[in-house]
Every structure is written in structure tokens, then in C-alpha cells.
Amino acid sequence: SAAGQGKLCRMLRVLYLCFYNLFGLCGWAMILFQVVSILLEGRVTNLWKELEGTVKLVQGAAVLEIMHSLLGLVRSPVSRTFVQVTSRLLTVWASMDPLYTYPYTPFPKGKGCNYSIDVVECSEEWNYYIGAMTLIAWSFAEIIRYSFYGINTVSPKSVPFVLVWFRYSGFIILYPVGVAGEMLCAYMTLPLLQKGMCPRFEGFLQTCPSYSVTLLYVFLANYVWGLPWLYTTMLGERKKRLYPKPAPKLQGVVFPVSKNGERSTTNAAKEIFAMAMESTDAKMADKVKKEKNWRFGYTKHILNNLVVSAKSQKHAIEIAENGLKAMYEKFEFITEDNTTMSFKDALAKRTGSFYTHTVKGRKGRPSEFTIRVPYKCFHTGKETMLEGHELIDQIDRWVQYGTIEPDCGEAIKEVVRNKSWCDLSKEYFVLLGATSAMGPFQLLKELGANIIAVDLDRPGIWKKIITEIEDSCATVTFPMRMPFKGQQGDELYQLCGANIMNQTPEICNWLKECVPKVCGGKAVTLGGYTYLDGELHVRVNLACDAIISSVIQNYGAKNVRIASLCTPTDAYAIPKQAHDASIQNLKEAPLWQKILHAMMSPFGRLLPNTLPPFKDANGKDVYIMDGLVVAQGPNYAWAKRLQQWRAVLARSQGATVSINIAPATATLSVVSNKSFAAAYGGMHVFKPMEVFYQQVSNAVMGALLIADISNPKSAASPSVELENPMLLFSKNAFHGGAMRCLFKYTSIGEVAVLVYFTKLYGFYLLAAAAVVVGFLLRSV
């Protein structure tokens, strides 16, 4: 079975990495022992004669670490691993080997070193001392590293603190010493190069090309940026591991306490998902309970949750109801005075609220509202402001290429053609997380909307919101801790806002009064756009769900239109056309992609995107995609499942639900991670993938929101019957190519990184290749 194969693969991975780390540990321990013995016995000139084979074997094996990173066996960044391993290999084979194995030495026989501007010439004995220093620094660093990773592979919690401390402190001394040794070894080969003796694996003399000295200086120059980059990276990791920020006071919505007394996200997730599926598929629920490695095994259970939900509308609603009910009953709420109660009780018992204030824009309404998309192509950098026919033409290109779904293209084009839809002066929106990077605040403001904004009680946030609204024709209503008495500027900003996660009941109470008063019985669109890292994402989304549920209950489902965004890195029921397009894209893939696919698919990379369909309760084929990314973690997937549960339930109750898939977007929080930024930079080579800048995503997803609330024939409307309830999430999908990509979204990242770096450093790689070819031709 797939589950059995997954367990076998994980077991083999652990066994292999344990063996590799043990080999590295023993190898470097042997090298350290031999170096120290040679120094103590005064046989320093025998250093390379006795250690050459061992050093080449142990250090040469480190090439595997690049493959480990590339294939995802470990989470180390490919770029950093490549730089570290390559510098070591060059030091061993291009510096130490020729320096210690030429049949005679060109160096003076005196003691110490002779220094000049052009060259450092040391006696033969000093050369060996520098080599010994380098090997000792390497040995200590690697013994610590391999010990740490060996234990961490088996059981991260079993790594003793002393080893953790050495792992993240030893480099402070060992890295500079090791790098100094590497640079000196490389620099001391300069006399060899100048006298016509080049590195050769065979160890005999040859004539050096004229550019060999230049190459040496280029190699040494790389340490100028390489060491600070590596050093600062490790200092950052040291700070996170040894001196983590103190955990903030636990308050508001919190995870339940498990049997061991801890607030475990793993235990809570397994319990909630099992309870959600218990009544519809007891076997699947039991598998969730028995999962031993939830952190890395959660994806199959999320996929199973989708499959069972897609069997029928009854299943989808039942799973949504059970999942939400379980979360409200199991999660807890901690008040400011440290009182703990169930989240359900907190919502029912707490009576606090906020004051209300409204700010109106000072600009007059334009004669016409329109949708504009500031399109900047991510991989070419070309910028264009798209509107009208130009925007429609670009939408057609996206549809034709497969970057977005046809119904998505038609929905946006309808908004472009119907300019009256873009006049939002009579529309009302509640934005939870108003200034979120992926939220529609900017677009709604430009189109004159009436916004009820809820965001953190931070003056900087409210200065941004209020000043931007004042410079528009929109209005904003917001909560205040004290009544408005003419406060302006900083005095006003200090009083605005509410903490969604910590003040959930108070926000529910405030909106219960505010929404009818502001909207006057007209429909309101209630959008949840909050995002936080890790377990906070589940907590804040549950708080948002409680607020949405409260508004639906108090204002009526038919008067409420809920809105949120889906991610392409999730599992969905998809149209058959998207499934077939993925198969066709794989057939038409470039030759190099087919070759890499054959080589890397056994290792879980460049896997086909298509999964076999299954039958629903009516015997119809249901096609699905699995875009879940293990590295994003189970909490992110859980928060998204929570949003989908609410969407299914709210639509069944008569609410309009706008919940469209947004594309991979280069927000600041994403591209600040260099690995993600590199992957985004190379993703476009996999048809029909395209990454978008935040301004583009905001505009197109805002246009889709307008289409959903304006067009009664939109799939968002509960009056529109769907073939399958789970197809709601793939309607109007601006997925950026994820649905139709030839390979699974989760399996292209490493290759995309290599494509990006090849593009970025292609000239240097070609130059290096030309140099290698030159050496080979000269040696023939």
C-alpha cells in the first residue's frame, strides 16, 4: 500500500542517514587522532603521506551531502551545502594534493616563511603545519556536526544540550581557523603555478595555462563574501537555537491540553481530524489516530479528508460540521486575567465590546471606476499597467497557457466589461486582518467601498489605514477602546484596533451591533485574511471563524457573503480538463525535463501531477490534485481545512461563499526566505507555472471577489448547483499553473532552485567549464 511504502521509505532514509553520519563521524575522528599523533611524534612531514587516502575518501564522500539536499533527504539549503563542500574539495585536490605530493619542493629550505606582495613562500615543514591546522579545525567541526545530525535524525528530542551548544558555538572559532587554513593552503600553491607546476591528479608536472594564477585569485576572492555570509547565517541560527525569544504570554484562543499536560498541536490535530471523519469513514479516522509521525505524515490524511468529503454533499457537510464542532469544544480560551475556559464557553459568556468610529475619504468619486492590474512579469521583469482590452488579452494568454482556469478568465473579463460592478460605493465589507499582504484593502479603497476594518491595536497599522482612506473616496469603520472625542493623529491611532485572537468574543459582540448599524440591512461581505506562522495560524483562523459564524448567526446567512483565499499548495477536487491538461503537458515536456524526471522521480522529485480519479456516491469520476507541501507543516494545512469546512457549511446554509485559489505570490514574507525566492525564480520553466508579484495577485483576486458578489451565476452563489461540493474551491481558480503543471507542485522546488542559480550564475559556470576544458586540452 501507499502508506506501507511511505513508512518503508522513511525507515530507509533514517537508516541511510544514520550510516552516512556514522561514517563521517568515524572518518573525521580517525583523521583527528592521526594528525595529533603525527604532531606529537614530530613526523609532520609525513602528514600527507599517511593521511592522503583517508582525507580524500572522507571529504570526497561529502559530495553526497549536495545530493541529500537536492533530493530533500535533509532540509539543508542546496546553495550553502554546495559552497561548503566545493571549497573543501578544491582545498584537498587543488591545494593540499599538489602542495604535498610534488617530487620536490620549490620552497626555500629555511625556517618559517618569506613574505612578499606577490607570494608567500614557506619552508616545507611550515607547509605541513598549516595543513595540520586545517585538518584539525575540519575534524573538530565535522565530529560535532555528524554527531549532532546522527542523533537528530533518529530522535531530535534526544540530542543532549551540550552537543547542541557545541554545534551552534564551535563554529565561532573553528570556521575562521579552518578558512584561514584553506586560504593559506591555496595561496601557498602560487609559487607552483608561477613556476609552471599545476595540480594534476597523477601528481606529476605539466605546463600551467597563463590564466591559472588568475583562477587562484578568483577562488580566494570568493572567501571575501563566502565566510561572512556563512558566519552570519550560523550566528543567526545560533541565536534562534540557544537564545530563543521568550514565549509571549499565552492568551486568547489556545490549543487544548493533552494527556501529558502539554498543549500539543500534534495531539490536537489528530484528535480533531479523527472526530471530523469518524461518522463518515471510521477506518480513515482510525488511521489518523494511529499516525506516529504526524509532522511528516499528515499530508495523506489531509488528502483522505478531501476524498471522503468529495464522496457526496452529505459527507462534505457532515465532516465540516464535526470538524468545526470538535475545534470549538476542544480548544480553550485564556482571558487577560489568566482564567481558562473552553472556547465555546468564552464565546457564550463574555460580554465586553468596543466603541465605533467612522472615517470618510476626502476625495470625490471618479466618473468611472475600473479594474487595473499592475502586471510585472516575475521572471522577465517587464512591467505593464493592464486595463480594458489589454487586460482581457493578457487574461486570454493566461488561460491559453494554462496558468488560470477558463472560468476564472471569464469571471475577471466580466468585471472588466461591467464597469458598474466596480463601483463599490454601495457595497459593505468586513475585513479581518485588514492590512494583510494578500487582502483586498487597497482595491476596495480605490473602488470607494464601505469597509469595516479589524486589525491589531498597533498605531502604525491604523495610521496607514486612516491616512489612506482619507486620501480616497472610500469609508472605514473600526473598533476603538475609548469613545471618539475628536482625537486626531497619533492620539487617535493609539486607541484603534482589536486583537482577533485575544479579544474574539468582544469583536463578535461589537460586530453584532456594528454590522446592522453600518450596513442597514444590506448584504455584507465578510473576509478573513489573517496569516501567522506555525500554530498561531490555526489559532487566529479559529478566532476568525468564530467571528464569521457569529455574523452569520446574528445577521442572517442570506445577508452574508464570506470571503477568503485558497492556496495552490493544498489538495483539491479539480476539473477533468485540468487533469487532462497536466497529462498532455507531461507528454510535451522538453527533453531535459523528461530525462530529469526519469532520474529523480524514484527519489520523490519531478513526480507526475496527476492522480487517478475515484468514484463519488453517484458513480461519477472525481479528479483531484495533491499540492500539499510537507515543509509548510500540518498547522498551515489545518488552518486551510478549517476555512474550507466553514465555506462548505456556510454555503449549505444559504450564504454566498467567495473562496478562490490564489497563485504563488512573491510577498515580502516569502521572498525574504532565500530558498523560496530561488525556487520562485526558476519555477516558470515548468509549464504552465507563473509566480506573481503581490500587486498582481491583489488586483486579480480582488476582481474575482467582485465577480463572486456581483454575478448571481457565479459558483459562489448557493443557488448554483455544483457537481460536487468540493469543486467549489477549484472554481474560478487563479492557481498560477499548479492544477495543470506537468509535475506535482511539491516536487519541482529543488530543480527550480537549480534553474534559477544556473540562470543567475550561468556565465561563471560556462567560464569555469571553459577553464576545465582548457586544462584537459593542454594535458592531452
Side-chain angles (χ1 to χ4, degrees):
S1 66
Q5 290 177 350
K7 288 181 179 178
L8 178 62
C9 288
R10 287 194 294 272
M11 183 180 71
L12 292 175
R13 169 186 169 274
V14 170
L15 287 174
Y16 166 73
L17 290 177
C18 285
F19 173 79
Y20 174 78
N21 286 310
L22 182 61
F23 170 81
L25 171 63
C26 294
W28 284 107
M30 184 186 301
I31 291 170
L32 178 62
F33 176 78
Q34 288 183 279
V35 172
V36 173
S37 297
I38 288 170
L39 291 176
L40 291 175
E41 294 171 9
R43 298 181 292 107
V44 70
T45 54
N46 291 338
L47 181 74
W48 198 243
K49 185 186 299 182
E50 296 184 24
L51 284 174
E52 177 186 357
T54 308
V55 172
K56 286 183 176 180
L57 175 63
V58 176
Q59 184 56 61
V63 172
L64 293 172
E65 295 186 22
I66 300 174
M67 298 304 298
H68 297 167
S69 184
L70 183 62
L71 296 174
L73 293 178
V74 297
R75 287 185 285 175
S76 301
V78 177
S79 55
R80 194 170 80 191
T81 305
F82 179 81
V83 169
Q84 288 178 290
V85 173
T86 303
S87 67
R88 290 276 195 91
L89 294 176
L90 287 172
T91 300
V92 170
W93 267 277
S95 297
M96 290 182 172
D97 198 42
L99 196 61
Y100 303 134
T101 57
Y102 272 112
Y104 68 91
T105 174
F107 306 124
K109 295 296 182 181
K111 294 182 178 180
C113 299
N114 296 327
Y115 300 94
S116 68
I117 294 177
D118 298 325
V119 70
V120 176
E121 292 188 338
C122 299
S123 67
E124 188 174 6
E125 187 173 308
W126 272 93
N127 294 338
Y128 284 108
Y129 276 123
I130 291 170
M133 175 190 76
T134 307
L135 290 176
I136 289 173
W138 287 0
S139 297
F140 275 115
E142 297 297 52
I143 288 170
I144 294 169
R145 191 169 69 92
Y146 284 121
S147 300
F148 174 84
Y149 283 130
I151 300 174
N152 192 66
T153 298
V154 178
S155 176
K157 293 183 179 179
S158 300
V159 182
F161 177 77
V162 65
L163 186 56
V164 175
W165 189 89
F166 274 113
R167 171 72 183 105
Y168 293 101
S169 300
F171 75 92
I172 296 174
I173 296 174
L174 296 175
Y175 276 20
V177 173
V179 167
E182 292 174 31
M183 294 182 73
L184 283 170
C185 285
Y187 194 43
M188 287 189 305
T189 62
L190 189 57
L192 294 172
L193 300 179
Q194 291 176 331
K195 296 177 182 184
M197 291 179 280
C198 282
R200 288 286 300 270
F201 289 116
E202 296 86 350
F204 53 79
L205 308 181
Q206 72 173 39
T207 304
C208 283
S210 58
Y211 47 74
S212 56
V213 173
T214 304
L215 287 177
L216 176 62
Y217 284 122
V218 170
F219 173 69
L220 291 171
N222 281 308
Y223 282 95
V224 175
W225 65 266
L227 178 60
W229 169 62
L230 184 61
Y231 207 69
T232 53
T233 300
M234 287 299 296
L235 285 172
E237 292 186 8
R238 181 177 190 270
K239 184 177 180 181
K240 286 192 292 186
R241 292 298 297 263
L242 299 184
Y243 307 101
K245 293 181 180 178
K249 177 186 175 183
L250 201 59
Q251 189 177 339
V253 182
V254 295
F255 280 84
V257 178
S258 56
K259 293 180 181 180
N260 61 5
E262 297 179 353
R263 296 189 183 276
S264 167
T265 61
T266 293
N267 293 339
K270 290 169 64 176
E271 185 176 14
I272 299 298
F273 275 93
M275 292 175 71
M277 299 175 69
E278 192 80 54
S279 62
T280 53
D281 196 320
K283 289 184 179 179
M284 290 296 185
D286 191 52
K287 287 182 179 180
V288 173
K289 294 175 184 176
K290 292 179 178 178
E291 177 60 59
K292 294 182 179 179
N293 187 7
W294 181 256
R295 172 61 186 85
F296 294 99
Y298 74 93
T299 56
K300 59 179 175 287
H301 301 293
I302 300 292
L303 191 61
N304 289 339
N305 187 276
L306 164 66
V307 170
V308 177
S309 298
K311 289 286 185 179
S312 68
Q313 183 170 353
K314 179 178 179 295
H315 277 194
I317 294 173
E318 197 169 330
I319 287 174
E321 286 179 336
N322 292 343
L324 290 170
K325 181 183 177 182
M327 291 191 74
Y328 280 80
E329 290 178 350
K330 296 295 180 181
F331 272 68
E332 295 181 338
F333 191 89
I334 301 177
T335 63
E336 194 172 355
D337 61 2
N338 216 34
T339 302
T340 302
M341 62 188 78
S342 75
F343 186 43
K344 184 178 179 180
D345 288 345
L347 294 171
K349 295 178 180 178
R350 300 198 72 189
T351 58
S353 186
F354 294 92
Y355 297 95
T356 304
H357 182 54
T358 299
V359 172
K360 295 184 178 181
R362 297 169 182 169
K363 279 190 173 182
R365 290 180 57 209
S367 58
E368 184 178 74
F369 289 98
T370 186
I371 290 289
R372 294 183 178 87
V373 177
Y375 178 51
K376 180 179 180 181
C377 183
F378 191 78
H379 66 274
T380 66
K382 183 180 178 182
E383 296 184 56
T384 312
M385 179 60 74
L386 300 174
E387 60 179 305
H389 292 297
E390 289 183 349
L391 178 53
I392 289 174
D393 290 342
Q394 180 59 56
I395 290 168
D396 287 337
R397 285 192 288 271
W398 282 329
V399 170
Q400 185 177 8
Y401 193 58
T403 306
I404 67 177
E405 290 305 294
D407 60 344
C408 172
E410 289 303 317
I412 298 176
K413 288 192 287 186
E414 281 294 305
V415 176
V416 175
R417 296 188 185 111
N418 292 279
K419 295 186 182 295
S420 61
W421 290 2
C422 298
D423 182 356
L424 301 182
S425 58
K426 296 180 181 180
E427 296 289 345
Y428 297 86
F429 299 83
V430 176
L431 300 184
L432 304 177
T435 56
S436 168
M438 289 297 291
F441 175 78
Q442 291 295 331
L443 181 66
L444 300 183
K445 177 201 71 176
E446 292 169 6
L447 299 181
N450 301 286
I451 301 170
I452 300 175
V454 181
D455 214 321
L456 289 169
D457 48 351
R458 295 176 182 171
I461 290 176
W462 290 98
K463 180 178 181 180
K464 172 183 172 64
I465 291 174
I466 292 172
T467 55
E468 289 191 10
I469 288 292
E470 288 176 338
D471 190 36
S472 73
C473 60
T475 66
V476 64
T477 301
F478 48 87
M480 293 183 64
R481 293 190 299 279
M482 294 177 63
F484 179 74
K485 295 181 178 180
Q487 298 97 332
Q488 297 293 326
D490 292 339
E491 186 181 3
L492 172 62
Y493 309 145
Q494 294 282 348
L495 301 175
C496 303
N499 189 306
I500 291 174
M501 192 163 62
N502 294 353
Q503 298 172 303
T504 315
E506 289 88 342
I507 295 172
C508 290
N509 295 336
W510 176 69
L511 286 174
K512 182 178 179 180
E513 297 179 0
C514 178
V515 169
K517 182 178 179 181
V518 173
C519 304
K522 295 181 179 179
V524 62
T525 301
L526 181 53
Y529 299 100
T530 55
Y531 175 81
L532 290 171
D533 288 331
E535 51 92 21
L536 292 172
H537 197 38
V538 179
R539 293 166 59 191
V540 76
N541 270 278
L542 180 56
C544 286
D545 184 80
I547 295 167
I548 292 170
S549 177
S550 173
V551 174
I552 291 175
Q553 181 180 351
N554 293 308
Y555 200 58
K558 293 183 179 180
N559 292 324
V560 175
R561 303 172 298 204
I562 69 172
S564 58
L565 300 176
C566 289
T567 171
T569 55
D570 205 339
Y572 299 103
I574 63 172
K576 181 178 185 299
Q577 295 85 344
H579 175 273
D580 293 344
S582 177
I583 295 174
Q584 190 62 31
N585 285 334
L586 183 57
K587 289 179 180 178
E588 298 173 356
L591 180 61
W592 69 271
Q593 291 186 13
K594 290 181 178 179
I595 293 172
L596 286 180
H597 164 59
M599 294 171 57
M600 301 182 71
S601 58
F603 301 97
R605 296 295 175 267
L606 300 187
L607 297 173
N609 196 25
T610 52
L611 294 173
F614 62 91
K615 300 288 185 182
D616 65 10
N618 297 319
K620 294 183 179 179
D621 284 334
V622 179
Y623 297 87
I624 58 174
M625 67 164 279
D626 176 11
L628 290 160
V629 179
V630 174
Q632 283 188 317
N635 291 319
Y636 182 79
W638 185 2
K640 288 301 178 183
R641 201 60 43 203
L642 166 60
Q643 292 177 350
Q644 292 189 24
W645 288 342
R646 176 56 61 190
V648 168
L649 194 57
R651 195 173 187 274
S652 72
Q653 295 168 342
T656 296
V657 177
S658 174
I659 183 166
N660 303 305
I661 299 177
T665 303
T667 59
L668 287 175
S669 61
V670 172
V671 297
S672 62
N673 183 307
K674 293 179 181 179
S675 297
F676 281 154
Y680 276 11
M683 208 168 275
H684 64 278
V685 300
F686 299 105
K687 185 180 180 181
M689 294 299 299
E690 181 172 352
V691 174
F692 292 88
Y693 282 104
Q694 181 180 321
Q695 295 85 342
V696 183
S697 293
N698 288 154
V700 296
M701 299 314 295
L704 287 171
L705 172 60
I706 293 170
D708 285 339
I709 66 174
S710 303
N711 187 354
K713 296 181 181 180
S714 168
S717 172
S719 63
V720 175
E721 188 175 348
L722 299 175
E723 283 184 49
N724 190 293
M726 302 309 291
L727 281 173
L728 170 65
F729 308 106
S730 60
K731 294 293 184 181
N732 295 346
F734 202 111
H735 48 70
M739 275 188 192
R740 296 176 177 241
C741 186
L742 66 167
F743 299 123
K744 281 182 67 172
Y745 192 87
T746 57
S747 69
I748 63 176
E750 289 79 4
V751 180
V753 169
L754 289 179
V755 169
Y756 171 74
F757 283 121
T758 300
K759 178 183 175 182
L760 196 63
Y761 303 112
F763 172 79
Y764 303 102
L765 292 173
L766 287 174
V771 170
V772 171
V773 171
F775 269 115
L776 293 175
L777 292 176
R778 292 292 295 269
S779 62
V780 174

